[in-house]
Amino acid sequence: MTASTPTAGTTTATVQMDPPAGSWAAPGESDRFAWIGLVVLLGVLFLVVYLYALFDRYAEHRGSSTPLRTTIPTMLTVGLAYDLLPPLEGVNVLLPLALILGALARDIVLWIKPEEGTEAGHNEIIMAENVIIEENKGSADA
C-alpha cells in the first residue's frame, strides 16, 4: 500500500506502508484465525474434561473400598472447575466447602454403615460366572 503525503514544497512524497498482519480481518469479513483458535480451544477443553472423567472413573473403581471414595473425586472436581473457570474465584468459599463437607459426610456414613449387598452382589456375579464356565466345559466335553 502506498500513501501520498504533501511535503513543504510543491511535490508529494510517496511513503511505503507495511501490509496488514495476517491475523487482521477487515470489517464484514470472516476471521479464519479466530475460528481455528476457537476450534482448538474447544478441542483442548474437551480433552481435559475427557481425561478427567477417565481418571475419575478409574479412581472410583480403584477406590471403592477406601474411606474417602466420594470426597477425593469431589475435591478434584472443585479444583478442575476453579482451574477451568477463573471467575469462580469470586464465588464465596462456602460453596465448594459445602460440596466437600457433604461428600465427607457421605463417606463417613458409608464407613460407619457400609452399603448392604455390595459384597453379596459381587459374590453372586462370581458364582454365576463359574456356573457359565462349568456349563461351557460340560458342553465342550460332549
Side-chain angles (χ1 to χ4, degrees), residues 23 51 60 122 128:
S23 60
L51 289 176
E60 181 181 350
H122 183 66

Side-chain angles (χ1 to χ4, degrees), residues 22-25 29-42:
S23 60
W24 182 82
E29 291 183 7
S30 178
D31 189 2
R32 186 177 55 132
F33 289 108
W35 285 109
I36 292 171
L38 183 64
V39 168
V40 168
L41 178 68
L42 291 176

Side-chain angles (χ1 to χ4, degrees), residues 81-96:
Y82 273 82
D83 285 342
L84 293 179
L85 304 169
L88 281 179
E89 293 176 2
V91 175
N92 194 337
V93 72
L94 294 177
L95 178 63

